[in-house]
Amino acid sequence: MITLDDLILAIGVCGPFQGLLVLAVHSAFVVSVWGIMLMAFGNYNPGWICLDDDSIDKNLSLDARGESKILSTDYSTASSILAPHNTTDLCTLYTACSNVSFLPGTSTVASEWSLVCDRAWILNAIFIVQMLGLMLGSYLSGQMGDRVGRKVILYGMMALHAVTNLLAVFSPSWEAFAAVRFFIGIAVGGILTTSFVVPLEFTSEFWRGVVATIPVWSIGTTLFSFAVFLLKDWRHLHILTATASGVAFLPVFWVPESFRWLAVQGRDVQAGTVATKISRLNKRPLPSLELVATIAESERGRAEVENSEHYTYLDLFRNNSIRKSSLVIGLIIFSMSVIYFGINFNVQTFSGDFYTNFLILSLMELPCVLFSLPTLHFFTRRWGTGIHLLILSVACFGITITAFSHGDRVYEKNEDGDLRGSIIVGLAILAKIEIICAWNVIAIFCTELFPTAVRNMAFGYLNIVIRIGSLIGPVFFSENPALLYISMAVMGLAILLGAGLVFLLPETKGRPLVDMLGCSKKFPDDRGLAFVVDQKESMAFKTKSEEIHQGLGLEDADESGECLA
């Protein structure tokens, strides 16, 4: 039986069309990362000085920051993570001062509305509001993306992202700014949910692995870090984000609707038009509309329900074939997001300059693709995921042991304290790298586990889980050593549990994508510990594809070898 995967093999799985599509859709993803990461900079306190004539020693040097007579909360020049008692002393001085001036050169949300000390809670409130919007955006886009199409949601949210970032520049108060951040969160949730799925539905199993390991998130955070390093102004960053969002919106006039989604929805004529567009750009033989309609009809006929409009998020847990996948992947993604955002939104607590740390922590994510690609190629999906999760758990337990063995002295500002702080920072970087590597594998795994009819919804669910984790994560890297090692121990155990549970899921490597929910049972639950896909099975699939191409009068297409021109 000819499937959509066979048709995609015939019209080209890696050609000019896929290249342009990845560039267009991933540009939207990159810009959306700026939207979510802005508060990582906005929360930063650049430092302040009291200008009261009778309250301070005018000869006190600003280089003394971090000591008991500190005039500023500038964490960037501290030699170690600040001790809690220093923060208390600073707030006492701040409260007693009637004329506070934030240091020039940096403009953040914290300095714009004096959100420090007894008003610092407002920064957390703005962050929570943003993440609630992001969860709502993930939910709506996941549900609606499977009903009205991927393209409508992606570029509708892209337009919202551009407008709201521009509006944020004119916020007259922190309350108005928080309201705008809520809608920015909705837009980011929709973009992140949809933009990852679209390119994967236009290619084959091998190239899905390549596309998914493109470090798009890391590229976004790195570019944003450079922008922060150069601009150091929250309003300028919003203007830059709004402008980039407008540019990323322009491909709306070229990017087609998902070929698979159109076929599953019964829009055979439109699916045929998209298939013809792909064939022409990839310089492949043009398929007939009758052939496309026949293939689409056979795909829909393999399930009892022919319209994904009847599906809801409950089907991710109600359906026996994907319930286990939803629960296990959800646990893993939640644990990873807690750790990742705990690191990203607490850069100011690390040793060294804030801007340098912000940039380095982002740059460290880029080489992750060098580890993810071999994992995807040489290991099965379950083993690839399990290996990265195991290393991540080791990093978590390492932080736990380092913090626990020194108790309250972990933040002491001396040579030993600096060494312990460096060890924790190094382990945090390792954890961040492994999170990105694990995500690259899990993203492909999820694409293959969840059918087309609910795939966008599944990624929407995972984005909601990520946002819940992002709300909890920032408190995990606390100045309280007890909370630090207890939290990291709990997360290490959760990650270790996820590494074991992943082997209960069906292996999907080397198998075509499933389109209808009722068809997902066709994956045998082969739980062998083989490191590569069974060669006989791969050869059988290749032989089948070659026979189909010959029967259709199409030239051969190698779906896992050279990129088709």
Side-chain angles (χ1 to χ4, degrees):
M1 179 183 295
I2 303 176
T3 65
L4 288 175
D5 276 308
D6 297 318
L7 181 60
I8 290 176
L9 284 175
I11 62 179
V13 295
C14 180
F17 172 82
Q18 281 79 8
L20 292 172
L21 180 70
V22 167
L23 180 62
V25 176
H26 279 183
S27 65
F29 191 109
V30 167
V31 175
S32 71
V33 173
W34 299 5
I36 192 175
M37 290 301 296
L38 190 134
M39 283 308 295
F41 167 72
N43 288 354
Y44 174 53
N45 180 353
W48 54 269
I49 184 172
C50 181
L51 300 179
D52 289 353
D53 291 336
D54 57 349
S55 64
I56 64 169
D57 182 357
K58 286 295 184 180
N59 296 320
L60 185 61
S61 171
L62 289 178
D63 291 336
R65 298 172 212 158
E67 303 298 334
S68 60
K69 292 183 180 180
I70 188 171
L71 295 184
S72 165
T73 54
D74 184 1
Y75 300 145
S76 65
T77 58
S79 60
S80 182
I81 301 175
L82 282 178
H85 73 273
N86 284 335
T87 304
T88 303
D89 292 343
L90 291 170
C91 288
T92 301
L93 288 171
Y94 180 86
T95 304
C97 183
S98 61
N99 188 9
V100 173
S101 175
F102 284 88
L103 300 181
T106 296
S107 176
T108 68
V109 176
S111 63
E112 179 71 21
W113 291 292
S114 301
L115 305 181
V116 297
C117 294
D118 60 336
R119 286 168 59 84
W121 64 269
I122 296 175
L123 292 171
N124 292 329
I126 295 174
F127 177 75
I128 291 174
V129 167
Q130 169 187 291
M131 289 304 175
L132 289 175
L134 211 152
M135 284 191 287
L136 179 60
S138 298
Y139 173 82
L140 293 176
S141 61
Q143 187 81 45
M144 296 177 64
D146 287 325
R147 292 188 177 186
V148 302
R150 283 47 161 149
K151 179 179 177 179
V152 174
I153 298 301
L154 174 61
Y155 286 101
M157 292 298 184
M158 198 73 247
L160 178 63
H161 193 254
V163 172
T164 50
N165 270 279
L166 188 60
L167 289 176
V169 177
F170 305 100
S171 300
S173 64
W174 70 263
E175 292 91 346
F177 180 75
V180 174
R181 292 301 302 179
F182 176 77
F183 289 99
I184 290 176
I186 291 178
V188 172
I191 295 168
L192 292 180
T193 298
T194 310
S195 61
F196 185 85
V197 175
V198 172
L200 302 183
E201 294 187 336
F202 283 95
T203 189
S204 63
E205 184 269 334
F206 174 83
W207 290 107
R208 285 196 296 270
V210 175
V211 172
T213 53
I214 297 174
V216 190
W217 175 277
S218 301
I219 292 172
T221 56
T222 301
L223 291 176
F224 179 75
S225 298
F226 275 113
V228 168
F229 192 86
L230 295 174
L231 299 178
K232 300 180 182 179
D233 188 301
W234 69 275
R235 280 193 169 91
H236 294 167
L237 288 169
H238 270 299
I239 293 174
L240 178 62
T241 303
T243 304
S245 298
V247 174
F249 178 80
L250 295 179
V252 67
F253 302 105
W254 177 83
V255 173
E257 182 55 83
S258 169
F259 171 75
R260 288 180 177 275
W261 182 84
L262 290 172
V264 170
Q265 293 295 314
R267 302 183 183 182
D268 300 343
V269 175
Q270 293 174 272
T273 302
V274 174
T276 300
K277 181 177 184 177
I278 298 172
S279 299
R280 285 175 175 167
L281 279 174
N282 289 343
K283 298 180 181 179
R284 308 291 289 177
L286 300 180
S288 66
L289 295 180
E290 292 78 10
L291 173 63
V292 175
T294 300
I295 295 174
E297 181 62 31
S298 67
E299 291 287 330
R300 294 191 296 272
R302 294 161 69 183
E304 295 180 358
V305 180
E306 293 191 355
N307 197 327
S308 64
E309 189 175 5
H310 296 157
Y311 296 140
T312 67
Y313 279 97
L314 292 178
D315 287 292
L316 298 176
F317 306 95
R318 191 160 46 199
N319 188 278
N320 293 331
S321 60
I322 59 174
R323 181 191 303 116
K324 189 187 301 180
S325 300
S326 301
L327 293 174
V328 172
I329 298 297
L331 169 65
I332 295 172
I333 292 297
F334 169 78
S335 304
M336 293 197 307
S337 65
V338 168
I339 301 170
Y340 182 87
F341 285 96
I343 296 172
N344 265 5
F345 282 83
N346 284 281
V347 177
Q348 68 268 22
T349 64
F350 293 144
S351 303
D353 178 67
F354 169 82
Y355 296 103
T356 302
N357 287 340
F358 201 83
L359 183 59
I360 290 176
L361 284 170
S362 298
L363 285 171
M364 291 299 293
E365 296 182 15
L366 292 176
C368 293
V369 67
L370 301 177
F371 303 104
S372 301
L373 277 176
T375 302
L376 287 165
H377 182 70
F378 292 108
F379 298 94
T380 59
R381 301 293 186 243
R382 292 177 299 188
W383 271 100
T385 303
I387 289 172
H388 287 302
L389 292 180
L390 181 60
I391 299 174
L392 174 57
S393 67
V394 170
C396 292
F397 291 134
I399 295 175
T400 297
I401 294 172
T402 303
F404 179 78
S405 61
H406 296 92
D408 293 334
R409 294 178 295 133
V410 72
Y411 294 108
E412 286 181 358
K413 299 188 66 178
N414 51 43
E415 185 175 344
D416 291 339
D418 288 344
L419 176 60
R420 290 189 290 271
S422 298
I423 292 174
I424 290 178
V425 170
L427 290 170
I429 291 175
L430 174 62
K432 195 174 179 182
I433 291 174
E434 287 304 318
I435 288 172
I436 298 298
C437 291
W439 168 250
N440 287 338
V441 180
I442 291 173
I444 294 296
F445 203 3
C446 291
T447 301
E448 297 167 346
L449 282 171
F450 295 100
T452 301
V454 295
R455 188 173 297 124
N456 208 67
M457 200 180 302
F459 276 90
Y461 153 67
L462 294 179
N463 264 309
I464 293 173
V465 171
I466 289 173
R467 300 319 142 203
I468 296 174
S470 69
L471 290 174
I472 300 173
V475 305
F476 270 61
F477 277 76
S478 170
E479 293 179 351
N480 186 338
L483 181 61
L484 175 66
Y485 66 71
I486 292 175
S487 300
M488 294 309 295
V490 171
M491 298 319 301
L493 289 173
I495 291 293
L496 196 60
L497 175 63
L501 291 176
V502 76
F503 288 98
L504 299 178
L505 303 181
E507 183 54 61
T508 60
K509 184 175 181 179
R511 301 181 184 277
L513 290 181
V514 177
D515 290 308
M516 301 302 297
L517 188 60
C519 303
S520 56
K521 292 182 181 180
K522 75 177 184 177
F523 284 175
D525 197 10
D526 48 345
R527 298 175 185 168
L529 302 183
F531 277 48
V532 294
V533 181
D534 184 82
Q535 295 298 315
K536 292 183 179 179
E537 185 177 333
S538 299
M539 290 301 297
F541 179 76
K542 183 176 181 180
T543 301
K544 175 179 178 291
S545 299
E546 291 175 347
E547 291 175 351
I548 290 172
H549 297 148
Q550 293 172 0
L552 296 175
L554 302 175
E555 57 186 282
D556 294 339
D558 184 0
E559 64 104 11
S560 62
E562 297 180 357
C563 185
L564 299 175

